[in-house]
Amino acid sequence: MKKINFNAGPCILPREVIEKTAQQILDFNGSGLSLAEISHRAKDFQPVVDEAVALIKELLNIPEGYSVLFLGGGASLEFCMVPYNFLEKKAGYLNTGVWAKKAMKEAKLFGEVVEVATSADKNFSYIPKGFEVPEDLDYLHVTSNNTIYGTEMRYDLDTKVRLIGDMSSDFLSRPVDVAKYDMIYGGAQKNLSMAGVTFVIVKDDALGKVTRQIPTMLDYRTHVSKGSMFNTPPVVPIYTALENLRWVKAQGGVEAMAKIAKERADLLYGEIDRNKLFRATVQDAEDRSYMNICFVLNDEYADLQQEFFDYATSKGMVGIKGHRDVGGFRASCYNAQTVEGVQALVDVMKEFEANH
Ligand SMILES: *Cc1c(COP(=O)(O)O)cnc(C)c1O
């Protein structure tokens, strides 16, 4: 039976991206060596990084003056590197859930942290709006898509202070006005590649403004000056990212990704709203994530939790168990998720409803 991968991360990737990576792992560019065996300084590998960087710049229409980096450590290391490199006195964080809180925790090691707004009062089921951003912040940090709670900001804030975005789980799913940000980052394993590489888009002239000493590996300037080749980068995940970027471009770029994301989301939220058994945990349509769609059983059907999970699993649905902080179900619909895949889940929900 065909499996449909709704995992929140590592996530579904286009089959052809996996196949092309697999071929290169067996024989890189006909060299007789595996991609896993070659030096990152091999003359054939530099073009891989160069093309991946160029494609990110092209797909997101990144203005001059920004560097694109591939680092290790995951988005979680960025939680520490961001304040290391940008926090002199005070930073603001929009607290929209677990990942934002983890980012705040690290920032507190470096200076004062202001929670500019939070949606904690309703278990992070909405995006705070209409909050004031103090003008004396070194930066404001936002999480564009909250993977665990299924909320998303599909817009780029206008701020007078530097804006830094964790875009781990909605990267390349919509056009982004990069000029509004001084930095965008994320772990690749949600929407860009396999686990093991972290992407960073950073405005060059925003760096070097803090007075503290920064360890070499944690200083973005090290990686900007060496084109992500200061030390051995994660070669295979970078290659997979390249193939995925080529795929995104071939599909029509981020505009096409945004269109299909809305199509998938309309289909699944439509069914959740219609089906008597289920309800969405995020009510405001504007705040509903197109990437991670969270739903629970209505109270009168709450005892069907395991039964629905088993039924959906028996029909090939993978990874739909909700995060423990939200419960219920979460269907992650990243770029490579097809409308047919989502339709299959919708069909399962309809059948299950008919049986109850
Ligand atoms: C998964 C996730 C992270 C953590 O990413 P790692 O690469 O595992 O460190 C951070 N932020 C968001 C929004 C995420 O979804």
Side-chain angles (χ1 to χ4, degrees):
M1 180 186 34
K2 189 172 176 335
K3 297 268 192 309
I4 301 172
N5 183 359
F6 289 100
N7 273 312
C11 77
I12 184 171
L13 288 167
R15 191 66 205 169
E16 62 181 88
V17 168
I18 303 285
E19 282 168 1
K20 285 179 176 161
T21 303
Q23 283 160 15
Q24 300 285 11
I25 287 178
L26 294 174
D27 183 3
F28 181 58
N29 284 357
S31 65
L33 293 178
S34 166
L35 175 62
E37 297 175 311
I38 57 153
S39 165
H40 58 293
R41 308 210 187 272
K43 77 168 178 0
D44 275 11
F45 189 68
Q46 186 65 48
V48 170
V49 176
D50 292 346
E51 188 184 340
V53 167
L55 278 171
I56 290 179
K57 287 186 172 173
E58 180 186 334
L59 289 167
L60 289 178
N61 207 0
I62 300 180
E64 289 291 307
Y66 285 79
S67 294
V68 175
L69 307 175
F70 293 113
L71 307 178
S76 298
L77 186 60
E78 300 310 308
F79 295 165
C80 151
M81 285 175 74
V82 163
Y84 229 134
N85 285 265
F86 294 103
L87 205 175
E88 184 72 15
K89 283 204 178 72
K90 201 200 290 191
Y93 279 72
L94 186 62
N95 181 6
T96 49
V98 164
W99 297 115
K101 279 194 274 188
K102 289 190 176 181
M104 289 167 78
K105 176 169 180 261
E106 299 306 303
K108 284 176 185 161
L109 298 171
F110 298 90
E112 189 185 337
V113 170
V114 180
E115 184 185 77
V116 296
T118 179
S119 45
D121 60 333
K122 292 189 177 151
N123 197 32
F124 303 110
S125 60
Y126 68 99
I127 300 284
K129 290 177 203 77
F131 48 87
E132 295 259 326
V133 180
E135 288 187 21
D136 61 345
L137 299 177
D138 293 320
Y139 61 83
L140 173 69
H141 179 281
V142 297
T143 312
S144 56
N145 183 68
N146 297 283
T147 324
I148 292 174
Y149 309 90
T151 59
E152 185 177 16
M153 301 166 73
R154 268 181 300 280
Y155 45 83
D156 308 298
L157 288 179
D158 287 303
T159 52
K160 293 212 174 88
V161 301
R162 293 187 197 293
L163 183 62
I164 296 182
D166 173 356
M167 295 197 182
S168 292
S169 52
D170 63 353
F171 190 56
L172 297 177
S173 71
R174 65 170 176 97
V176 168
D177 188 351
V178 176
K180 288 187 175 173
Y181 297 82
D182 280 61
M183 189 174 143
I184 291 168
Y185 69 90
Q189 70 278 11
K190 304 269 167 54
N191 219 356
L192 177 63
S193 183
M194 61 173 76
V197 68
T198 312
F199 61 87
V200 169
I201 300 168
V202 64
K203 194 174 187 177
D204 299 323
D205 70 12
L207 297 172
K209 304 279 197 262
V210 288
T211 50
R212 74 173 61 82
Q213 298 262 313
I214 306 175
T216 311
M217 271 298 283
L218 301 183
D219 189 334
Y220 291 118
R221 288 171 299 180
T222 303
H223 303 289
V224 169
S225 69
K226 297 288 183 197
S228 302
M229 296 286 200
F230 171 74
N231 69 330
T232 318
V235 166
V236 177
I238 291 174
Y239 187 83
T240 306
L242 169 62
E243 287 294 356
N244 198 32
L245 289 159
R246 286 174 174 165
W247 180 86
V248 171
K249 183 174 170 177
Q251 305 303 303
V254 288
E255 289 78 10
M257 293 296 107
K259 189 160 166 279
I260 186 177
K262 180 167 189 322
E263 206 177 314
R264 287 185 307 247
D266 285 348
L267 181 59
L268 188 47
Y269 284 116
E271 174 59 17
I272 295 166
D273 290 342
R274 185 209 63 78
N275 194 305
K276 71 170 194 247
L277 303 178
F278 302 101
R279 71 169 190 276
T281 55
V282 179
Q283 284 308 320
D284 191 338
E286 193 195 1
D287 296 347
R288 283 179 167 180
S289 173
Y290 288 178
M291 298 288 105
N292 310 98
I293 299 178
C294 297
F295 55 104
V296 293
L297 284 153
N298 280 320
D299 295 346
E300 58 271 41
Y301 300 104
D303 55 339
L304 296 175
Q305 174 87 9
Q306 189 63 38
E307 204 184 316
F308 178 70
F309 182 77
D310 293 342
Y311 184 70
T313 304
S314 77
K315 299 281 181 176
M317 309 297 133
V318 176
I320 61 160
K321 201 169 182 348
H323 188 278
R324 62 187 174 281
D325 288 351
V326 178
F329 306 97
R330 171 175 57 176
S332 294
C333 298
Y334 295 114
N335 280 347
Q337 188 67 261
T338 60
V339 174
E340 296 72 47
V342 174
Q343 184 63 52
L345 175 58
V346 165
D347 292 344
V348 164
M349 292 164 75
K350 288 196 160 111
E351 287 158 26
F352 193 74
E353 181 190 35
N355 297 338
H356 288 86

